[in-house]
Amino acid sequence: MLVGAAMGFWGMQRAPGPTALVLLLALVTAAFAGLVMSAIHAFLVVSLRASQIVSGLALTIFAGGLGLSSYLGNDLGLANVPPRHQLSEIDVFGLKSVPVLGPIVFHQSALVYASWAATVLVALYLARTRFGLNVRAVGESPGAADAMGINVARYRYAHVLAGGAFAGIGGACYSLAITPGWSDGDALVGGAGWIAIALVIFSFWRAEVCLVGAYLFGALSGGLPSALQAHAYHVTPEFLNALPYVMTVLVLVVVSSGLARRRLGAPAALGVPYVREER
């Protein structure tokens, strides 16, 4: 996400043309950056059969904080540069002034509405298409999927790369829409990647539930503090800001036991390298 945020902002600054084309190219740049980072992860965990947790943490240290994303941002001169373009909120059908639902549903950026469409498409892909069912088979029993002629490594590579592209776009959402601009360190995305991991667990690995959970986490991190302050409830800001991360920790604690993980619907082969000779 951090690399996607940096490269998306760089793409927006350098791409020529009208605003819509510039922002589209910026998102493509961010997606490609995320894909490249996920390719490193895929090579380590699929080809070299390394631990997914170790590889993920290593990439986080390598790319986050003062790592690759910081180097790219500073080397490309992105610090303290005002954005040439940004993804602004759209007033859909002029309904942004509708109480409660107006600002939530009808006054968001194009990326928010694209995320709704992406959620529906991913849910249909996983549940209604042959390739999606093959993905689920690879996650549940890669040995059985291999015996059926499904190329386990190819499926794992393809979908890790797709996930990396989505993560890159998620990072660009921060640098192009939420807080337009680029800043050094992890503050730009504010630990959203860790919340995303908990969100997948919270949603029982189901795309449609993930969208609902995303709004719940978003309410805890943004909407609830604002609402409490608007009604003159004096709550320590640090406590409110910590709520999403507290929920993240609780979700990870619940899923830590094998029994809880099976009940939550986690793929049986989650995090387990596949060695064809051992099936």
Side-chain angles (χ1 to χ4, degrees), residues 32 35 54 90 106 179 214 219 233 253 272 277:
F32 181 74
L35 184 148
V54 173
I90 303 171
F106 301 110
T179 55
Y233 289 103
V253 168
V272 180
E277 294 75 13

Side-chain angles (χ1 to χ4, degrees), residues 168-184:
I169 295 175
C173 183
Y174 279 87
S175 61
L176 299 178
I178 298 176
T179 55
W182 181 84
S183 59
D184 202 354

Side-chain angles (χ1 to χ4, degrees), residues 132-235:
L133 294 176
N134 287 347
V135 172
R136 297 173 66 178
V138 167
E140 288 295 332
S141 180
D146 190 11
M148 293 171 58
I150 299 172
N151 191 316
V152 174
R154 184 180 299 171
Y155 268 85
R156 288 189 169 184
Y157 258 101
H159 292 82
V160 169
L161 295 180
F166 273 119
I169 295 175
C173 183
Y174 279 87
S175 61
L176 299 178
I178 298 176
T179 55
W182 181 84
S183 59
D184 202 354
D186 295 332
L188 182 60
V189 299
W194 299 108
I195 294 179
I197 295 174
L199 182 56
V200 172
I201 302 169
F202 177 82
S203 61
F204 315 113
W205 281 263
R206 294 174 57 185
E208 63 276 16
V209 182
C210 190
L211 182 62
V212 178
Y215 274 91
L216 174 59
F217 276 72
L220 289 174
S221 61
L224 181 60
S226 300
L228 291 175
Q229 291 176 4
H231 289 82
Y233 289 103
H234 300 289
V235 182

Side-chain angles (χ1 to χ4, degrees), residues 2-3 6 37 57-75 79 182-189:
L2 285 168
V3 173
M37 296 303 300
L57 289 175
L59 277 177
T60 300
I61 297 170
F62 169 66
L66 300 177
L68 179 63
S69 62
S70 177
Y71 169 77
L72 289 173
N74 288 305
D75 190 60
W182 181 84
S183 59
D184 202 354
D186 295 332
L188 182 60
V189 299

Side-chain angles (χ1 to χ4, degrees), residues 26-39:
L27 292 175
V28 171
T29 303
F32 181 74
L35 184 148
V36 171
M37 296 303 300
S38 66

